């Protein structure tokens, strides 16, 4: 067994889908994908739809065989010893993969037995997990009667039966209401505090910002950036000033006012939104200056403010498109 | 791996050393066989727990055959003629048993596609259980449920006047052939369940399956059908099982004298073996292709 400083390691992983075209046959879903996740952290894997996030997770969780490269989870080679990997990981996918016809308790006991805990230990473990995920009251109700958040918590609990070294969370909050998302976030934080490493894919960049200490951006099957959220934001640049004009006719005058503080930088005018924005070096001075000159010219403003770059900006800059757009969508000006 | 050590206070479970982590090297030998059986039983138990929680589900599945029993037995029954003589209801019952077993593949298919589309199959595949247990456990549970279905149908049939005069051995042989047909169709069900995308699409299979079960000797002797249709019906595997069980139960057979009808008991063994030989590998291949 090779000792590894990483909980998850992928080097040059290639995955080609065989089979029918409508399922993406022949396409390289992963095209030399690299990933290194440090133990005990939440690592976000972000990318546009079709970039290869889910394929990467399925390869690492032993559900898909890959064609080239190397992948290790918990120091174990994924291709050579998938069964050993399986006893070290948990997987929570886009659907809450629980048996809806069984109660929460019956689900956990069944999965416990299938993890080879034995009847008595499986029963005991189910009790512990129900308690920990705040499901004790609903333990003997059928899972189909659970709310979305409860079901996802039961799903998480099922992934935690063996206290896995690595937990794969593939869009764990897609389709949940804000309350359900909050419940899942809380559960994930508790797991990481207990020492589990989490690889998280998500469409919600604010979710990655809240949970992940490290982020890899994937596009067209390759990792195109890999850093902490703050470092990624700094890469995009400093603060921005943003002005929304009350009258579309004033947009040009607003753009002139912003241009004076932009220091020669790009001034972007978003006509439909009546918004002008630009990067600025000295945030407070720029805000004061623009406000004063607009007031002096008698231009009415609906909103004026400063904005830190968000992960959305990072995303647009790196991939040239938003999270939900396809590759063939026209480029968005950033 | 020292980096993966963690605070013992938060470690809920020590990994059992009994096969969850098979240790370095390939899994092999009797230990694998042991877990194949244990995992299969746990998956079987899961399905049986469903029925334990909702015993009415079994009656729901039997709704169609029981309704058919009553409709055909009483509404059409007196107008139905059994070539070679004999009571139509006596003729009908073994046919209904065979048809119920044949349609059982739908239950398998719907259960499998539901698991696949809800991510349950992926969860099982990401766990250290023996992969074959998913299908073997499903099949074992389906056989237990089918045996229960046959019992309920037989009791219903006895209540409305059906009698088996073939003796105990004959009756046991007949039930054995019925379950053999059901066994072979488990693999058709698993294969279809992994092939179709959604449970709704699987429901659409009824439209195909229903005529296939009707063009058989279930309700009417093939000798009463147009020649070409009678030929197809006589060679239908369901007909072989239906005719063979009629013989074994000592009920009217109404055979048309063709070779396949004369050798119904033989064919009721051969057909399920052929179906298993074709569809078991297909189902296994389909399952393995999930990782491609």
């Amino acid at each position: 067994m090779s000792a590894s400083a990483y909980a998850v390691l992928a080097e040059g992983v290639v995955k080609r889908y065989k089979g029918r075209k409508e399922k993406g046959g022949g396409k390289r879903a992963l095209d030399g994908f690299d990933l290194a996740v440090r133990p005990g952290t939440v690592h976000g894997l972000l990318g546009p739809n079709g970039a290869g996030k889910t394929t990467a997770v399925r390869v690492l969780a032993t559900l898909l065989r890959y064609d080239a490269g190397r992948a290790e989870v918990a120091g174990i080679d994924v291709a050579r010893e998938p069964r050993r990997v399986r006893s070290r990981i948990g997987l929570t996918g886009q659907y809450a993969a629980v048996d809806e016809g069984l109660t929460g308790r019956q689900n956990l006991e069944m999965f416990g037995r299938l993890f080879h805990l034995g009847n008595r230990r499986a029963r005991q473990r189910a009790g512990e997990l129900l308690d920990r995920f705040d499901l004790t009251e609903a333990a003997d109700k059928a899972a189909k009667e659970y709310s979305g958040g409860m079901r996802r918590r039961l799903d998480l609990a099922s992934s935690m039966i063996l206290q896995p070294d690595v937990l794969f969370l593939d869009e764990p909050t897609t389709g949940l209401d804000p309350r359900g998302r909050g419940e899942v976030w809380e559960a994930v934080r508790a797991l990481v505090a207990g020492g589990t490493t989490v690889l998280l894919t998500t469409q919600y960049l604010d979710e990655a910002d809240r949970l992940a200490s490290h982020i890899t951006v994937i596009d067209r099957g390759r990792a195109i950036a890999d850093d902490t959220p703050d470092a990624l934001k700094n890469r995009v640049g400093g603060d921005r000033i943003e002005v929304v004009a009350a009258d579309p006719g004033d947009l040009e005058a607003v753009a002139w006012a912003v241009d004076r503080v932009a220091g020669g930088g790009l001034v972007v005018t978003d006509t439909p939104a009546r918004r002008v924005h630009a990067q600025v070096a000295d945030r407070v001075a720029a805000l004061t200056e623009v406000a004063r000159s607009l007031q002096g010219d008698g231009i009415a403003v609906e909103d004026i403010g400063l904005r830190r770059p968000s992960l959305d900006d990072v995303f647009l800059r790196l991939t040239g498109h938003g999270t939900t757009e396809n590759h063939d969508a026209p480029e968005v000006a950033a | 791996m020292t980096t993966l050590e963690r605070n013992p206070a938060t470690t809920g479970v020590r990994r059992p050393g009994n096969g969850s982590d098979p240790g370095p090297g390939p899994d092999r030998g009797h230990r694998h066989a042991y877990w194949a059986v244990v995992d299969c039983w746990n998956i079987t138990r899961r399905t049986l727990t469903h029925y334990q929680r909702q015993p009415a589900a079994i009656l729901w599945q039997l709704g169609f055959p029981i309704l058919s029993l009553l409709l055909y037995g009483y509404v059409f029954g007196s107008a139905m003629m059994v070539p070679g003589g004999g009571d139509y209801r006596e003729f009908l019952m073994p046919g209904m048993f065979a048809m119920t077993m044949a349609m059982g593949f739908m239950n398998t298919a719907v259960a499998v596609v539901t698991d696949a589309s809800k991510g349950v199959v992926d969860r099982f595949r990401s766990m250290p259980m023996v992969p074959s247990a998913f299908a073997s456990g499903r099949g074992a549970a389906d056989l237990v449920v089918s045996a229960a279905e046959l019992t309920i149908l037989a009791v219903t049939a006895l209540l409305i006047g059906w009698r088996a005069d073939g003796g105990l051995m004959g009756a046991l042989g007949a039930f054995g052939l019925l379950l053999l047909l059901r066994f072979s169709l488990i693999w058709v069900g698993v294969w279809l369940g992994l092939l179709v995308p959604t449970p709704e699409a699987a429901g659409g299979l009824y439209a195909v399956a229903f005529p296939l079960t009707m063009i058989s000797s279930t309700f009417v002797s093939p000798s009463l059908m147009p020649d070409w249709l009678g030929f197809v019906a006589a060679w239908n595997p369901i007909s072989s099982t239906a005719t063979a069980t009629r013989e074994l139960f000592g009920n009217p057979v109404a055979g048309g004298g063709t070779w396949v009808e004369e050798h119904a008991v033989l064919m009721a063994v051969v057909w399920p073996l052929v179906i298993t030989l074709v569809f078991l590998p297909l189902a296994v291949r389909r399952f393995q292709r999930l990782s491609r």
Side-chain angles (χ1 to χ4, degrees), chain A residues 191-244:
Chain A
L191 297 179
V192 175
T196 296
T197 308
V198 173
L199 182 65
L200 168 80
T201 80
T202 178
Q203 299 226 18
Y204 307 115
L205 300 179
D206 63 314
E207 179 166 280
D209 217 354
R210 272 163 203 259
L211 292 174
S213 58
H214 217 91
I215 285 174
T216 297
V217 180
I218 180 174
D219 194 23
R220 297 173 171 87
R222 277 170 177 276
I224 55 169
D226 180 272
D227 222 321
T228 62
D230 276 339
L232 286 174
K233 288 177 199 167
N234 288 339
R235 216 194 278 189
V236 172
D239 296 327
R240 270 185 188 176
I241 187 163
E242 244 183 46
V243 184
V244 179

Side-chain angles (χ1 to χ4, degrees), chain B residues 81-161:
Chain B
M81 184 189 83
V82 183
D87 178 50
Y88 179 69
R89 278 191 284 274
E90 300 270 297
F91 170 83
L92 176 65
M93 297 309 163
M96 286 314 305
F97 299 160
M99 181 166 181
T100 306
M101 292 301 101
M103 291 298 279
F105 86 93
M106 286 293 302
N107 298 336
T108 308
V110 169
V112 169
V113 71
T114 303
D115 279 351
S117 62
K118 294 216 165 134
V120 176
V121 170
D122 281 348
R123 156 144 285 147
F124 286 148
R125 291 174 62 231
S126 78
M127 290 170 59
M129 60 183 266
V130 178
S132 68
F134 172 70
S136 63
R138 173 88 251 157
D142 284 348
L143 279 183
V144 172
V145 171
S146 298
E149 287 180 339
L150 276 180
T151 310
I152 296 171
L153 273 182
V155 169
T156 311
L158 286 169
L159 287 177
I160 61 176

Side-chain angles (χ1 to χ4, degrees), chain B residues 16-27:
Chain B
N18 58 5
S20 272
D21 188 342
D27 320 318

Side-chain angles (χ1 to χ4, degrees), chain A residues 19-20 22-23, chain B residues 105 108-117 121 134 186-203 205 279 281-290:
Chain A
R20 280 173 295 174
E22 65 264 32
K23 288 185 176 174
Chain B
F105 86 93
T108 308
V110 169
V112 169
V113 71
T114 303
D115 279 351
S117 62
V121 170
F134 172 70
I186 286 165
W187 312 112
V188 178
V190 171
W191 178 68
L192 284 172
L194 293 174
L195 199 67
V196 297
T198 59
E200 293 71 35
L205 292 171
F279 284 94
L282 280 178
V284 169
R285 207 170 77 109
R286 195 72 216 163
F287 190 78
Q288 286 168 344
R289 281 176 69 103
L290 292 176

Side-chain angles (χ1 to χ4, degrees), chain B residues 58-71:
Chain B
I58 214 166
L59 289 177
W60 189 244
Q61 278 168 215
L62 285 177
F64 180 73
I66 289 180
L67 198 69
S68 304
L69 269 187
L70 300 174
L71 271 178

